[in-house]
Amino acid sequence: MFNIVIFGAPGSGKGTQSENLISHYGLFHISTGEVLRDNIARGTELGKIADTYISDGKLIPDDLMISILADILDNTPEAKNGVIFDGFPRTINQAGALKEMLAERGARVDAVVGLEVDEDELIDRLIKRGKESGRSDDNLETIKKRLKVYHSQTQPLRDYYMKEGTYLPIKGVGTVEGIFESIKAAIKEKCGK
Ligand code: AP5
Ligand code: MG
């Protein structure tokens, strides 16, 4: 298994760069945000729970999120060659759980692609996207909450993965293609592929 975590603040380009990573490495993509939004759109029980957290810019509780992810890994044969994890992990607890889940499969997180973008640019991008996205969390009030949650609960993972030796800092500003070139070069240097 070859596993990549794509990491960064809301609006840093995780989804955008995942598209490039999927076609380049042929890996299975799991965006926890998309899984939750799909459940909201289908009106499932999970969707009803998720909606209250997402529209308030808060994280879904760890236990629930970890069990959703474990379920996807267990029931997706296409994930056996490796996964691009987009939006997971987002807390130290989730990172520990991911480490265990992968270890059970004789695998690990091979690289963490950290898209680093300053806050003004993040807000600009999300406000712009909010004009068309229909996402309940793409409005200024919720964007500010999401960024606060990112700083307090998710950003500590940067140090966590630095210590693990897997964090690859990438400047996430510029053209989508240019950023992807930097990502490919960093992964090649770290993992040889
Ligand atoms: P999630 O869906 O993961 O959202 P997010 O992390 O807030 O990030 P976004 O999807 O908004 O941004 P992105 O980094 O993917 O950037 P994108 O490529 O779209 O999570 C949503 C919510 O679900 C969370 O708040 C939480 O409630 C819940 N959730 C999800 N996972 C969870 C977990 N593990 N635990 C608990 N709760 C969880 O780009 C953004 C915009 O910028 C786009 O318009 C794009 O076109 C544009 N753009 C991209 N690259 C560039 C560039 N280089 N230059 C200019 N514009 C660019
Ligand atoms: Mg996204």
Side-chain angles (χ1 to χ4, degrees), residues 11 13-16 32 37 58 60 87 90 94 129 146 174:
K14 301 184 294 294
T16 304
T32 42
R37 283 188 291 278
K58 291 187 182 137
I60 272 70
R90 259 175 146 97
Q94 291 182 14
R129 189 182 63 189
R146 286 158 69 194

Side-chain angles (χ1 to χ4, degrees), residues 99 108-109 159-167 190:
K99 191 173 185 170
R108 63 186 200 113
V109 170
D159 280 351
Y160 174 97
Y161 283 119
M162 276 284 187
K163 284 189 193 122
E164 298 256 307
T166 47
Y167 188 85
K190 166 85 190 131

Side-chain angles (χ1 to χ4, degrees), residues 90-105:
R90 259 175 146 97
T91 63
I92 297 284
N93 266 341
Q94 291 182 14
L98 181 61
K99 191 173 185 170
E100 277 177 30
M101 281 186 252
L102 292 177
E104 282 165 15
R105 293 164 171 78

Side-chain angles (χ1 to χ4, degrees), residues 61-77:
D62 278 342
D63 288 357
L64 180 57
M65 202 65 243
I66 290 165
S67 71
I68 294 166
L69 195 90
D71 189 53
I72 297 172
L73 279 183
D74 284 342
N75 294 301
T76 312

Side-chain angles (χ1 to χ4, degrees), residues 32-88:
T32 42
E34 278 171 22
V35 170
L36 297 169
R37 283 188 291 278
D38 174 60
N39 274 274
I40 294 173
R42 289 187 290 115
T44 65
E45 280 311 306
L46 168 62
K48 285 177 197 149
I49 298 169
D51 197 19
T52 59
Y53 290 95
I54 290 187
S55 51
D56 198 25
K58 291 187 182 137
L59 298 184
I60 272 70
D62 278 342
D63 288 357
L64 180 57
M65 202 65 243
I66 290 165
S67 71
I68 294 166
L69 195 90
D71 189 53
I72 297 172
L73 279 183
D74 284 342
N75 294 301
T76 312
E78 304 93 294
K80 72 174 190 311
N81 292 332
V83 175
I84 298 157
F85 294 95
D86 165 359
F88 188 99

